[in-house]
Structure formats: C-alpha cells, structure tokens
C-alpha cells in the first residue's frame, strides 16, 4: 500500500478527484494549505506599498491506494494537474505499513 | 423656528452618527485580524465617551460665552440653558445644534485612532481621548465656529477642515512619534485582513458625509444643496484621481485606493463645501486623490508608522481643502463667506494659510504633551507580548473570528 500526497493548484482539485475515481480510488482527503516552491509567492500592493507574500494557497490531496494501482494513480494525477507552468506542485509517494477500517476492524488492502 | 430646517439638521446629525460604524469598518478591515475588535471598539466607544463629555462640558467650552477668543465659558455647563428655543440668529432648536455638533466631536478623535491602531492600550486611549476633547477639540471648535480668534480673523472652514481633519491629522502625527512603530514594522507585512469591510465602511462614510457637510448649512436651503452636490462630486473625482495615480505608479487600480481616494476627496471638500461651486469641487477632489496618494507614501520615506494613514489622508487632505477654500471660495455661492484668490481676493488665501499653520502647530504640540502625560499615568502602549497576541484578546478578552 502506498500513500500519495499531492500538493497542487486549488482549481485542479476537481479534475484530479475525477481522474483518481476513474482509476478506482474510493476515497481521499483534501486540505487547503499554504506554501511556496519555485513559484515563490506574489506581490500585493496596499496604498502604494508593495508587500511580498511568500505563501500561496494550494491544496493537498492525500490518498492511500493498493500497490497494484499506484502507477495508474500517479499517471492520472499528473495528467489532470499539469498546466506546464511553474507552480503545478509535487507528488510524494510513501509506503504505508497498515490500514485499519475502524468500523469493521478489517486491515490491509480490503480496508482501503 | 423653522420646521424644515430642524428636521434637516436632526437627520443630518443622525447621518453623521452613522459615520462612526462606517469609520469603524473602514479602519477595522485594514488592520490584521487579531486587532479587528480593538479597532472597531476605538470608534464605537467614543460615541459613549465623547457624547457624555460633550453634554457635560465640551459643548460649553466650544460654544459658551467667548473668553478672549480662546475658549468658551462654562455658561452651558451640563447643557444649562440649552433647550428647545433657537439660539439668536438660528432657525433650529438649540438642542438640535448641540446634538449635531456632538457628532462632530465624536468622530474627530475617532479619526486619530487609525494612527495608533494595533498597539495602543485601551485605558490610555480612553484617557487620551477625553483629555483631547477638552484640551484640543473644544478650543479648536471655539476658535473656528464658536466665535473665537480664527472666526474673527475671517478663516473659512465650512464643516471642519481645521477643526476635524487637520486637528486629527496633527494628533495622528504626534501619536506616531510618541508611540513608535508597531512591532515587526518593516520586517513583516501589515496586510489588511478584510478589505470588503473597509469598502463598506468607506461607502457608509460617503453617505454620512452628506449630513456632515450639507447639514453644516444648518438649514434646508440652497446652500445645503450646494454643499451636498460639492461633497458628492469631490468624493467622486477623488476616487478617480487616486486610482489614476496608483494605476500609473504601481500598474494596478485597487479597491482600497478607490475607497481611500473617496475619503480623501470628502476630507478635502469639507472646509470648502459651502463656499465653492461644483466645478471647483471636482477639481479639489481630483487633486486630493492624487495628493493624498502621495501623502500616504510619505510615511515610508520618513519612517513613521501611521498605521492607517491618518496624516496622509486627513492631515494632508484637510490642509489642501483649507488652502483650496482660499483659492476657490466665492461669494456667489455663499454671500456669508468670502472670495478666494481666483475670485480676486488673495488676502483670503493668506488667512487660510495662517489658520493651517496655527492649527497644525497647536494640535500637534498639545496632542504630543497629552500622549506623554497619559503615558506617565497609565502607559500608552501595550506590552510586546500583548501586541503579538493582538488587541482583541489582550485588551478585551475576545476574538473577532471563531475559525
């Protein structure tokens, strides 16, 4: 099992959700986050004074998937999220030791 | 007594009162979220404090029997003799005049609060405001409207360029010297937390200002209509003037700029509203918009922390308005006024200039002394820890937003 974390542009979240659903993902967690990478921030101007705002609004999508569909998921996310401009974001993949469905006590792939 | 005049002035008093929540929102939106309640409170509590003070002693010091052209006597102490009968030469009940003037007294110290926003101690703020009404506002009001020396000199100030805007601007400048900069000034950005509040507040100010300026005619007549039209046109032109200048300077027109420009225009037309025609009013507003945009940049150049630009907008806008009155005033608009420089009377401009210098000097010096006195009694500034926590929690034990 793998945990996939995607940090990307807020307006892409629906496209990514649809793409992941299409390859068989059944649930995900989405958080509004702020941060910066190579895109850096932007400037804001108030009464003629410029301020550098470092942290841009982004979304973080977290999803845990079976090993078998991990590659499909990663491809789907990239296709859905890519604009080609700086600021498209990143995907982090890590191994997950165990998953437990609280309601039934199921573990492993069947709990995802 | 005239029923129409009375109704008009009472409604105008209500309109000016409505500027208080307007100003509260205008300022409240510009501070950081942790200071929103403290900033709203600064404006709103003055409706409480100054109103009571005005009824007890402020009105008498402003409009009581003249003592040497400097201050009013105590003959109206506790509103003694201020009743339903009109004052001599007026067509409205004395009480209507008193309550209309009360709203002016309330809003003036509230304007100052933009300068020391986000760092003043609430107790110190209350004591300062009370002392300021007695030591600065009441004399100024008496000098200009209560038959004091500026009135005798012939200085024109229709609705408070000197009494309200320059006085608060000068006190604001003194505040920046006495309180110092906000913690983190120049290192962290101080970004407005809710500009929609600010825009709404600016709209309420614009609306209330009709009572402020047109109401200052103290009668429902042609002069009131003239002042109303001049007020609106100056605000309109100044909103344009500001965004034109900032568009050229920074590349984008901003909503905060539009709102700030409108207020700058309203400030600038205040002393002139009942003395100038509509076309000069547009010109006064247009220039005020550009001028005050430059004015707010001065603080970065000189390094004083006037948090919400009271000096740049009220100080500078009021000064420009007072001088512009000396340029554009016309007896064709108001026979009780005077002609300005452009109508063949350069002397009026000099009179206005004297009133500007005297107002700045008096208000700055006395305000400076008052801050120092209050600082010695209870302290004027919150502790660094309280400042970091924000005024809402540290001064009032509340927070504005439960998120």
């Amino acid at each position: 099992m793998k945990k996939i974390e995607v940090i990307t542009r807020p307006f892409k979240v629906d496209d990514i959700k649809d793409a992941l659903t299409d390859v068989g993902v059944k649930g995900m967690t989405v958080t509004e986050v702020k941060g910066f990478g190579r895109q850096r921030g932007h400037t804001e101007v108030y009464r003629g004074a410029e301020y550098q705002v470092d942290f841009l609004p982004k979304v973080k999508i977290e999803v845990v998937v079976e090993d078998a569909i991990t590659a499909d998921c990663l491809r789907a996310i990239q296709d859905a999220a890519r604009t080609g401009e700086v600021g498209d974001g990143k995907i982090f993949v890590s191994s997950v030791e165990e998953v437990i469905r609280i309601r039934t006590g199921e573990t492993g792939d069947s709990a995802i | 007594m005239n029923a129409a005049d009375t109704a008009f002035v009472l409604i105008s008093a209500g309109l000016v009162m409505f500027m208080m929540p307007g100003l509260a929102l205008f300022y409240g939106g510009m501070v950081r979220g942790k200071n929103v309640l403290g900033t709203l409170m600064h404006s709103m509590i003055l409706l409480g404090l100054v109103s009571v003070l005005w009824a007890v002693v402020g009105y008498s010091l402003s409009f009581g029997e003249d003592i040497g052209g400097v201050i009013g006597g105590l003959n109206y102490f506790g509103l003694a003799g201020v009743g339903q009968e009109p004052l001599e030469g007026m067509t409205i009940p004395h009480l209507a005049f008193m309550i209309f003037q009360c709203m002016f007294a309330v809003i003036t110290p509230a304007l100052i609060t933009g300068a020391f926003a986000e760092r003043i101690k609430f107790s110190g703020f209350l004591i300062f405001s009370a002392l300021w009404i007695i030591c600065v506002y009441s004399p100024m009001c008496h000098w200009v409207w209560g038959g004091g020396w500026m009135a005798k000199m012939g200085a024109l100030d229709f609705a408070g360029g000197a009494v309200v805007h320059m006085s608060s601007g000068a006190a604001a400048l003194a505040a920046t010297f006495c309180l110092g900069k906000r913690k983190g000034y120049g290192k962290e950005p101080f970004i407005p937390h809710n500009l929609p509040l600010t825009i709404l507040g600016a709209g309420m100010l614009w609306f209330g200002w009709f009572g402020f300026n047109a109401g200052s005619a103290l009668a429902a007549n042609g002069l009131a209509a003239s002042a109303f039209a001049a007020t609106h046109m100056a605000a309109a032109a100044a909103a344009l003037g500001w965004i034109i200048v900032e568009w050229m300077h920074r590349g984008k027109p901003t909503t905060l700029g539009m709102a700030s420009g409108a207020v700058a225009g309203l400030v600038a037309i205040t002393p002139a509203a009942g003395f100038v025609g509509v076309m000069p009013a547009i010109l006064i507003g247009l220039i005020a918009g550009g001028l005050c945009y430059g004015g707010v940049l001065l603080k970065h150049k000189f390094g004083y922390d006037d948090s919400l630009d009271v000096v740049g907008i009220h100080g500078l806008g009021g000064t420009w308005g007072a001088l512009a009155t000396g340029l554009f005033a016309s007896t064709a608009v108001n026979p009780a006024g005077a002609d300005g420089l452009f109508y063949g009377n350069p002397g009026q401009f000099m009179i206005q200039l004297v009133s500007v210098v005297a107002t700045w000097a008096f208000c700055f010096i006395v305000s400076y002394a008052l801050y120092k006195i209050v600082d010695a009694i209870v302290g004027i500034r919150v502790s660094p820890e309280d400042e970091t926590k924000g005024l809402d929690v540290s001064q009032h034990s509340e927070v504005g937003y439960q998120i």
Side-chain angles (χ1 to χ4, degrees), chain B residues 169 267 291-292 294-296 298 310-321 360:
Chain B
V267 168
L291 186 74
C292 292
V296 303
L298 288 178
V310 186
V311 179
I313 292 180
H314 295 276
L316 208 62
T319 303
W320 160 238
W360 271 98

Side-chain angles (χ1 to χ4, degrees), chain B residues 62-157:
Chain B
S62 302
F63 293 98
E65 211 165 306
D66 180 51
I67 302 176
V70 178
I71 192 83
L74 290 175
N75 51 316
Y76 294 141
F77 185 84
L79 298 184
V82 181
Q84 298 180 17
E85 290 307 307
L87 269 177
E88 202 184 319
M90 280 192 197
T91 59
I92 57 171
H94 196 168
L95 277 169
F97 178 70
M98 184 282 296
I99 202 68
F100 181 65
Q101 285 294 337
C102 173
M103 302 309 172
F104 282 61
V106 170
I107 198 162
T108 307
L111 294 173
I112 308 169
T113 65
F116 47 57
E118 305 197 290
R119 60 197 185 284
I120 199 163
K121 192 193 267 188
F122 189 66
S123 55
F125 155 73
L126 284 182
I127 297 171
F128 170 78
S129 299
L131 293 173
W132 196 82
I133 281 294
I134 291 167
C135 303
V136 179
Y137 185 83
S138 296
M140 274 304 307
C141 186
H142 181 75
W143 294 357
V144 177
W145 294 329
W149 70 269
M150 273 194 194
K152 287 176 185 151
M153 179 177 76
L156 297 179
D157 185 0

Side-chain angles (χ1 to χ4, degrees), chain A residues 53-100:
Chain A
V53 177
D54 289 330
F55 298 110
L56 292 177
K58 296 284 171 185
V59 291
K60 181 163 80 169
I61 301 168
E62 288 167 285
V63 55
V64 175
V65 300
E66 299 127 62
D67 291 332
I69 64 165
T70 302
D72 293 342
C73 287
L74 295 175
R75 202 173 310 114
I77 293 166
Q78 291 177 69
D79 290 345
R82 183 180 296 117
T83 69
E85 302 294 320
V86 179
D88 278 352
K90 290 203 172 56
I91 303 173
F92 304 102
V93 184
S94 49
S95 295
V96 173
E97 285 186 15
E98 185 61 291
V99 176
I100 303 168

